[in-house]
Amino acid sequence: TGGGGSYETAEHLANRVLRRKNVRVVPLEEVPDRAKVVSIAGMGSPEAMLRNPFTTEARHAFDALSREAAPGTRYVIPLETSGFNFLTPMTVAASRAVSVIDADGAGRAIPQLNQTLFFARKLPLAPLALADAKGRSIVLRAAEYALAEKAAISALEYFGWSAGLACYPMIGGMAKRAAVAGTISLAREVGRAVRLATLSAGDPLHALLAVTGGWALVRGTVDRFEPEPAGSYKVGNMAL
């Protein structure tokens, strides 16, 4: 898949973990240049997260990284644009003294950690931490990206292909140079426009394009989708 996780997992987080929780979201430009920032995500197979719904994994990963390598972190930032991975840093902010930055590291959903703008700006992926819902965690330190990613995938397999991820420790000034600003706010505007269009029997696609300034390239119907898991990925064939 193209990354980002499933909408079912995002819906579970919203309804079961974040309902009635207070989360502070701040604009990227308001983050102090010297403030410590950590990127947060859920990492793994969509099927594994459906079998064992994602809950506190991201919070445990944040705690592990903060304790071992990034004490004093006050901000968390989503790794990617994604319904699911916009919410994982919010599960941290809902119970820890941190704020979520209205931005992310890619501006889209991504299937690999080296497809972020953080990587393009040569920010180090590690030290990073992975954790499961039981609080079991591992902190990895590696100067080379390839080693950090390979070790993370090995740990992910041990955790059953589903884990919280805290990575790309940085400071506010670095985040401002690398992140795509305003993506959480944009996602909220898109969701509101699509919901209102649906309720009024309008065209959700037209409403989405009006908000994003995009173009409709093709319309079609999914006739068949034959997925299969491949480690932490989902591959398969789709007929339109």
Side-chain angles (χ1 to χ4, degrees):
T1 63
S6 69
Y7 78 88
E8 295 98 335
T9 305
E11 188 175 39
H12 172 84
L13 274 184
N15 291 333
R16 299 296 180 87
V17 180
L18 289 170
R19 182 178 291 275
R20 296 188 177 89
K21 296 293 195 307
N22 293 318
V23 174
R24 183 169 181 256
V25 179
V26 301
L28 179 60
E29 63 268 20
E30 291 185 7
V31 178
D33 285 348
R34 302 301 300 175
K36 291 184 178 181
V37 180
V38 166
S39 187
I40 299 292
M43 182 178 180
S45 161
E47 282 77 14
M49 293 181 185
L50 290 174
R51 289 194 302 269
N52 298 292
F54 203 89
T55 54
T56 58
E57 290 89 336
R59 188 184 73 200
H60 291 310
F62 172 81
D63 288 347
L65 189 63
S66 298
R67 185 171 57 247
E68 300 292 333
T73 297
R74 290 292 174 264
Y75 295 89
V76 289
I77 186 170
L79 186 68
E80 61 179 345
T81 291
S82 152
F84 168 57
N85 269 329
F86 272 164
L87 299 183
T88 51
M90 294 184 187
T91 66
V92 177
S95 58
R96 298 292 182 266
V98 296
S99 299
V100 179
I101 300 175
D102 184 5
D104 73 84
R108 69 179 187 91
I110 54 170
Q112 293 182 304
L113 297 175
N114 64 350
Q115 294 173 332
T116 65
L117 292 170
F118 301 148
F119 180 83
R121 288 287 189 174
K122 302 188 184 304
L123 301 184
L125 173 64
L128 64 84
L130 289 103
D132 65 8
K134 299 176 183 178
R136 299 181 301 175
S137 63
I138 183 171
V139 176
L140 305 173
R141 301 171 184 267
E144 301 86 359
Y145 170 84
L147 176 60
E149 182 187 45
K150 187 171 183 178
I153 292 175
S154 296
L156 182 64
E157 182 178 7
Y158 179 82
F159 286 135
W161 296 113
S162 177
L165 172 68
C167 60
Y168 284 113
M170 66 189 86
I171 58 175
M174 296 175 180
K176 291 174 183 176
R177 290 193 295 273
V180 182
T183 50
I184 295 178
S185 295
L186 177 60
R188 183 172 55 190
E189 292 175 23
V190 167
R192 182 176 184 275
V194 170
R195 184 177 69 253
L196 292 177
T198 302
L199 291 174
S200 62
D203 183 353
L205 177 60
H206 178 77
L208 184 150
L209 297 179
V211 171
T212 61
W215 297 270
L217 298 179
V218 63
R219 285 178 180 261
T221 302
V222 177
D223 180 61
R224 186 178 70 258
F225 179 45
E226 300 170 344
E228 60 181 82
S232 63
Y233 298 98
K234 178 189 285 186
V235 299
N237 297 304
M238 178 182 291
L240 301 178

